[in-house]
Short mmCIF file of all heavy atoms in Angstrom, two decimals:
data_model
loop_
_atom_site.label_atom_id
_atom_site.label_comp_id
_atom_site.label_asym_id
_atom_site.label_seq_id
_atom_site.Cartn_x
_atom_site.Cartn_y
_atom_site.Cartn_z
N MET J 214 172.39 32.60 53.58
CA MET J 214 172.95 32.92 52.28
C MET J 214 174.47 32.73 52.33
O MET J 214 175.10 32.92 53.37
CB MET J 214 172.61 34.36 51.90
CG MET J 214 171.13 34.63 51.74
SD MET J 214 170.77 36.37 51.44
CE MET J 214 171.52 36.61 49.83
N MET J 215 175.03 32.38 51.20
CA MET J 215 176.46 32.14 51.13
C MET J 215 177.00 32.69 49.82
O MET J 215 176.41 32.50 48.76
CB MET J 215 176.74 30.63 51.23
CG MET J 215 178.20 30.25 51.14
SD MET J 215 178.40 28.48 51.39
CE MET J 215 180.17 28.31 51.09
N GLY J 216 178.11 33.39 49.89
CA GLY J 216 178.71 33.94 48.68
C GLY J 216 180.19 34.19 48.85
O GLY J 216 180.68 34.39 49.96
N GLN J 217 180.89 34.14 47.72
CA GLN J 217 182.32 34.42 47.71
C GLN J 217 182.59 35.51 46.68
O GLN J 217 181.95 35.55 45.63
CB GLN J 217 183.11 33.14 47.37
CG GLN J 217 184.63 33.26 47.50
CD GLN J 217 185.34 33.71 46.23
OE1 GLN J 217 184.77 33.64 45.14
NE2 GLN J 217 186.57 34.16 46.36
N ASP J 218 183.51 36.44 46.99
CA ASP J 218 183.88 37.52 46.08
C ASP J 218 182.65 38.37 45.72
O ASP J 218 182.08 39.04 46.58
CB ASP J 218 184.54 36.94 44.83
CG ASP J 218 185.11 38.01 43.91
OD1 ASP J 218 185.53 39.06 44.43
OD2 ASP J 218 185.12 37.81 42.69
N ALA J 219 182.20 38.33 44.47
CA ALA J 219 181.06 39.13 44.06
C ALA J 219 179.78 38.69 44.77
O ALA J 219 178.94 39.52 45.12
CB ALA J 219 180.86 39.02 42.55
N GLY J 220 179.61 37.38 44.96
CA GLY J 220 178.44 36.90 45.68
C GLY J 220 178.42 37.40 47.10
O GLY J 220 177.36 37.74 47.65
N ALA J 221 179.59 37.47 47.73
CA ALA J 221 179.68 37.97 49.10
C ALA J 221 179.38 39.47 49.15
O ALA J 221 178.70 39.94 50.07
CB ALA J 221 181.07 37.69 49.66
N SER J 222 179.87 40.22 48.17
CA SER J 222 179.58 41.65 48.17
C SER J 222 178.10 41.90 47.88
O SER J 222 177.52 42.88 48.35
CB SER J 222 180.45 42.38 47.14
OG SER J 222 180.09 42.05 45.81
N ILE J 224 175.68 40.01 49.03
CA ILE J 224 175.06 39.84 50.35
C ILE J 224 175.24 41.11 51.17
O ILE J 224 174.32 41.58 51.85
CB ILE J 224 175.68 38.64 51.07
CG1 ILE J 224 175.31 37.34 50.36
CG2 ILE J 224 175.24 38.59 52.53
CD1 ILE J 224 176.00 36.10 50.91
N ALA J 241 174.40 34.61 57.20
CA ALA J 241 175.13 34.88 55.96
C ALA J 241 176.57 34.42 56.12
O ALA J 241 177.22 34.70 57.14
CB ALA J 241 175.08 36.36 55.61
N ILE J 242 177.05 33.70 55.11
CA ILE J 242 178.44 33.26 55.05
C ILE J 242 179.11 34.11 53.97
O ILE J 242 178.78 34.00 52.79
CB ILE J 242 178.53 31.77 54.71
CG1 ILE J 242 177.79 30.94 55.76
CG2 ILE J 242 180.00 31.33 54.62
CD1 ILE J 242 177.63 29.48 55.41
N VAL J 243 180.01 34.97 54.39
CA VAL J 243 180.59 35.99 53.52
C VAL J 243 182.08 35.72 53.36
O VAL J 243 182.86 35.90 54.29
CB VAL J 243 180.35 37.40 54.11
CG1 VAL J 243 180.92 38.47 53.18
CG2 VAL J 243 178.86 37.63 54.34
N GLN J 244 182.47 35.29 52.16
CA GLN J 244 183.85 34.93 51.89
C GLN J 244 184.51 35.96 50.97
O GLN J 244 184.19 36.06 49.80
CB GLN J 244 183.92 33.54 51.24
CG GLN J 244 183.34 32.42 52.10
CD GLN J 244 183.33 31.10 51.36
OE1 GLN J 244 182.45 30.81 50.56
NE2 GLN J 244 184.33 30.26 51.65
N SER J 245 185.41 36.75 51.53
CA SER J 245 186.17 37.75 50.76
C SER J 245 185.25 38.62 49.91
O SER J 245 185.34 38.64 48.68
CB SER J 245 187.22 37.07 49.88
OG SER J 245 188.19 36.40 50.64
N ALA J 246 184.36 39.35 50.57
CA ALA J 246 183.45 40.24 49.85
C ALA J 246 184.25 41.28 49.08
O ALA J 246 184.91 42.13 49.68
CB ALA J 246 182.50 40.93 50.83
N GLY J 247 184.20 41.21 47.75
CA GLY J 247 185.07 42.07 46.95
C GLY J 247 184.33 42.93 45.95
O GLY J 247 183.53 42.44 45.16
N LEU J 332 179.14 34.58 59.38
CA LEU J 332 180.40 33.85 59.32
C LEU J 332 181.17 34.48 58.18
O LEU J 332 180.79 34.33 57.01
CB LEU J 332 180.16 32.36 59.06
CG LEU J 332 181.42 31.49 58.83
CD1 LEU J 332 182.30 31.49 60.07
CD2 LEU J 332 181.04 30.07 58.44
N LEU J 333 182.20 35.23 58.50
CA LEU J 333 182.87 35.98 57.44
C LEU J 333 184.38 35.93 57.60
O LEU J 333 184.91 35.77 58.69
CB LEU J 333 182.36 37.42 57.39
CG LEU J 333 182.48 38.30 58.63
CD1 LEU J 333 183.78 39.08 58.59
CD2 LEU J 333 181.31 39.27 58.71
N GLY J 334 185.04 36.06 56.46
CA GLY J 334 186.49 36.03 56.48
C GLY J 334 187.09 36.40 55.15
O GLY J 334 186.38 36.80 54.22
N HIS J 335 188.39 36.28 55.06
CA HIS J 335 189.09 36.65 53.83
C HIS J 335 190.40 35.88 53.75
O HIS J 335 190.85 35.25 54.71
CB HIS J 335 189.37 38.16 53.82
CG HIS J 335 190.15 38.63 55.02
ND1 HIS J 335 189.53 39.14 56.14
CD2 HIS J 335 191.48 38.63 55.29
CE1 HIS J 335 190.45 39.46 57.04
NE2 HIS J 335 191.64 39.16 56.55
N GLU J 336 191.01 35.94 52.58
CA GLU J 336 192.35 35.38 52.38
C GLU J 336 193.39 36.36 52.89
O GLU J 336 193.21 37.58 52.80
CB GLU J 336 192.59 35.13 50.88
CG GLU J 336 191.57 34.23 50.21
CD GLU J 336 191.82 32.77 50.45
OE1 GLU J 336 192.86 32.43 51.06
OE2 GLU J 336 190.97 31.96 50.04
N ASP J 339 194.48 38.44 49.73
CA ASP J 339 193.44 38.69 48.74
C ASP J 339 193.87 39.69 47.68
O ASP J 339 193.64 39.51 46.49
CB ASP J 339 192.18 39.25 49.45
CG ASP J 339 191.18 38.16 49.79
OD1 ASP J 339 190.98 37.27 48.95
OD2 ASP J 339 190.61 38.21 50.88
N ILE J 401 188.39 44.76 49.63
CA ILE J 401 188.00 43.46 50.20
C ILE J 401 188.00 43.44 51.72
O ILE J 401 186.95 43.36 52.37
CB ILE J 401 188.92 42.33 49.67
CG1 ILE J 401 188.88 42.28 48.14
CG2 ILE J 401 188.49 40.98 50.25
CD1 ILE J 401 189.87 41.31 47.53
N ASN J 404 185.78 45.37 54.16
CA ASN J 404 184.36 45.00 54.17
C ASN J 404 184.05 44.08 55.35
O ASN J 404 182.96 44.15 55.93
CB ASN J 404 183.99 44.32 52.86
CG ASN J 404 184.01 45.28 51.68
OD1 ASN J 404 183.78 46.48 51.84
ND2 ASN J 404 184.31 44.77 50.50
N SER J 405 185.01 43.22 55.73
CA SER J 405 184.83 42.39 56.91
C SER J 405 184.73 43.24 58.17
O SER J 405 183.95 42.96 59.08
CB SER J 405 186.00 41.40 57.05
OG SER J 405 186.00 40.45 56.01
N LEU J 408 181.19 45.01 58.30
CA LEU J 408 180.14 44.08 58.69
C LEU J 408 180.27 43.70 60.16
O LEU J 408 179.26 43.58 60.87
CB LEU J 408 180.21 42.82 57.82
CG LEU J 408 179.68 42.96 56.40
CD1 LEU J 408 180.12 41.79 55.53
CD2 LEU J 408 178.16 43.07 56.38
N TYR J 426 187.16 34.49 60.32
CA TYR J 426 188.29 33.61 60.02
C TYR J 426 189.22 34.31 59.04
O TYR J 426 188.85 35.25 58.33
CB TYR J 426 187.82 32.27 59.45
CG TYR J 426 187.28 32.34 58.04
CD1 TYR J 426 188.13 32.27 56.93
CD2 TYR J 426 185.92 32.49 57.81
CE1 TYR J 426 187.65 32.34 55.64
CE2 TYR J 426 185.41 32.56 56.52
CZ TYR J 426 186.28 32.48 55.44
OH TYR J 426 185.79 32.56 54.17
N PHE J 428 192.08 32.99 56.04
CA PHE J 428 192.67 31.85 55.34
C PHE J 428 194.14 32.16 55.08
O PHE J 428 194.49 32.95 54.20
CB PHE J 428 191.94 31.59 54.02
CG PHE J 428 191.62 30.14 53.81
CD1 PHE J 428 190.40 29.62 54.18
CD2 PHE J 428 192.57 29.29 53.27
CE1 PHE J 428 190.10 28.28 54.00
CE2 PHE J 428 192.30 27.94 53.09
CZ PHE J 428 191.05 27.43 53.46
N HIS J 435 193.33 35.35 46.56
CA HIS J 435 191.89 35.49 46.37
C HIS J 435 191.31 34.31 45.58
O HIS J 435 191.78 33.98 44.50
CB HIS J 435 191.60 36.79 45.62
CG HIS J 435 190.15 37.16 45.60
ND1 HIS J 435 189.47 37.56 46.72
CD2 HIS J 435 189.24 37.19 44.58
CE1 HIS J 435 188.21 37.83 46.40
NE2 HIS J 435 188.05 37.60 45.12
N GLY J 436 190.30 33.66 46.17
CA GLY J 436 189.64 32.55 45.51
C GLY J 436 190.19 31.18 45.89
O GLY J 436 189.57 30.17 45.57
N TYR J 437 191.34 31.15 46.58
CA TYR J 437 191.94 29.86 46.93
C TYR J 437 191.02 29.06 47.85
O TYR J 437 190.96 27.83 47.77
CB TYR J 437 193.30 30.09 47.60
CG TYR J 437 193.98 28.84 48.09
CD1 TYR J 437 194.13 27.73 47.26
CD2 TYR J 437 194.49 28.76 49.39
CE1 TYR J 437 194.76 26.57 47.72
CE2 TYR J 437 195.12 27.62 49.84
CZ TYR J 437 195.25 26.52 49.01
OH TYR J 437 195.87 25.39 49.46
N ASP J 438 190.26 29.74 48.72
CA ASP J 438 189.41 29.03 49.67
C ASP J 438 188.24 28.32 49.01
O ASP J 438 187.62 27.43 49.61
CB ASP J 438 188.89 29.98 50.76
CG ASP J 438 188.14 31.16 50.19
OD1 ASP J 438 188.26 31.43 48.97
OD2 ASP J 438 187.44 31.84 50.97
N THR J 439 187.92 28.66 47.76
CA THR J 439 186.81 27.97 47.09
C THR J 439 187.14 26.49 46.88
O THR J 439 186.24 25.64 46.85
CB THR J 439 186.48 28.62 45.73
OG1 THR J 439 187.65 28.61 44.90
CG2 THR J 439 186.01 30.05 45.93
N GLY J 440 188.43 26.18 46.71
CA GLY J 440 188.82 24.79 46.59
C GLY J 440 188.51 24.01 47.85
O GLY J 440 188.23 22.80 47.80
N TYR J 441 188.54 24.68 49.00
CA TYR J 441 188.21 24.06 50.27
C TYR J 441 186.70 24.01 50.48
O TYR J 441 186.17 23.04 51.02
CB TYR J 441 188.88 24.83 51.41
CG TYR J 441 190.37 24.61 51.49
CD1 TYR J 441 191.24 25.31 50.65
CD2 TYR J 441 190.91 23.70 52.38
CE1 TYR J 441 192.61 25.10 50.71
CE2 TYR J 441 192.28 23.48 52.45
CZ TYR J 441 193.12 24.18 51.60
OH TYR J 441 194.47 23.96 51.66
N THR J 442 186.02 25.05 50.05
CA THR J 442 184.57 25.10 50.20
C THR J 442 183.90 23.96 49.47
O THR J 442 182.97 23.33 49.98
CB THR J 442 184.02 26.44 49.68
OG1 THR J 442 184.64 27.52 50.39
CG2 THR J 442 182.51 26.53 49.88
N TYR J 443 184.36 23.67 48.25
CA TYR J 443 183.71 22.68 47.40
C TYR J 443 184.49 21.38 47.26
O TYR J 443 184.20 20.56 46.40
CB TYR J 443 183.44 23.29 46.01
CG TYR J 443 182.61 24.54 46.09
CD1 TYR J 443 183.18 25.79 45.84
CD2 TYR J 443 181.28 24.48 46.46
CE1 TYR J 443 182.41 26.95 45.93
CE2 TYR J 443 180.52 25.64 46.57
CZ TYR J 443 181.09 26.86 46.30
OH TYR J 443 180.33 28.00 46.41
N PHE J 461 186.81 23.05 57.48
CA PHE J 461 186.17 24.26 56.96
C PHE J 461 184.73 23.95 56.55
O PHE J 461 183.80 24.71 56.86
CB PHE J 461 186.98 24.78 55.78
CG PHE J 461 186.60 26.16 55.32
CD1 PHE J 461 186.40 27.19 56.21
CD2 PHE J 461 186.46 26.43 53.96
CE1 PHE J 461 186.06 28.47 55.79
CE2 PHE J 461 186.12 27.70 53.52
CZ PHE J 461 185.92 28.72 54.43
N GLN J 462 184.52 22.84 55.86
CA GLN J 462 183.18 22.48 55.41
C GLN J 462 182.27 22.18 56.60
O GLN J 462 181.09 22.54 56.59
CB GLN J 462 183.25 21.28 54.47
CG GLN J 462 183.88 21.59 53.13
CD GLN J 462 183.99 20.37 52.24
OE1 GLN J 462 183.90 19.23 52.70
NE2 GLN J 462 184.22 20.59 50.95
N ILE J 465 181.04 25.41 57.96
CA ILE J 465 180.01 26.01 57.10
C ILE J 465 178.67 25.33 57.33
O ILE J 465 177.63 25.99 57.47
CB ILE J 465 180.44 25.91 55.62
CG1 ILE J 465 181.62 26.85 55.35
CG2 ILE J 465 179.26 26.25 54.70
CD1 ILE J 465 182.20 26.71 53.94
#
Side-chain angles (χ1 to χ4, degrees):
M214 297 174 66
M215 178 176 176
Q217 188 270 343
D218 187 31
S222 69
I224 293 174
I242 302 171
V243 182
Q244 299 176 278
S245 296
L332 174 62
L333 58 92
H335 56 265
E336 303 279 354
D339 265 319
I401 303 173
N404 291 330
S405 293
L408 284 165
Y426 72 85
F428 226 94
H435 191 69
Y437 176 50
D438 57 344
T439 58
Y441 287 81
T442 302
Y443 303 109
F461 192 46
Q462 290 177 343
I465 290 174

